[in-house]
Amino acid sequence: MSENKLDPSLLKDLVKMKMPFGKYKGQIICELPVSYLEWFDTKGFPSGKLGMLMQTMLVIKQNGLESLLKPLKQNLRPH
């Protein structure tokens, strides 16, 4: 039986990677509105890493877990 493990670097990507196209081009993935992520959920997420990050962010937002990303966001700011 295989175990599903979350790669911690994926969470870092959520607070660093920017949306490469569309209405929210240039916006960091973790700041995308849940309505936009839900739209992709019905229409289909992009393939590859971007789609996986967007799906992960949707789950985080739907479950009220955005506070998990706060420490990562703070680490990106210059001290």
Side-chain angles (χ1 to χ4, degrees):
M1 185 182 283
S2 68
E3 251 184 78
N4 289 331
K5 291 187 179 181
L6 180 64
D7 180 353
S9 69
L10 292 178
L11 294 178
K12 290 179 185 175
D13 288 340
L14 290 173
V15 299
K16 288 200 273 187
M17 189 171 169
K18 293 183 179 181
M19 189 66 187
F21 63 84
K23 182 177 181 179
Y24 294 98
K25 181 178 180 177
Q27 191 153 356
I28 298 170
I29 301 295
C30 70
E31 295 175 354
L32 293 172
V34 71
S35 59
Y36 189 62
L37 297 169
E38 288 171 339
W39 181 84
F40 272 101
D41 194 34
T42 61
K43 300 294 182 186
F45 286 99
S47 61
K49 186 173 184 176
L50 176 62
M52 183 187 55
L53 289 172
M54 292 172 72
Q55 286 175 319
T56 302
M57 198 63 235
L58 177 59
V59 170
I60 288 171
K61 287 184 180 246
Q62 286 177 331
N63 289 286
L65 300 172
E66 292 170 277
S67 62
L68 292 173
L69 300 176
K70 276 187 181 179
L72 297 172
K73 285 182 182 180
Q74 290 170 347
N75 287 341
L76 293 177
R77 294 190 187 127
H79 296 287

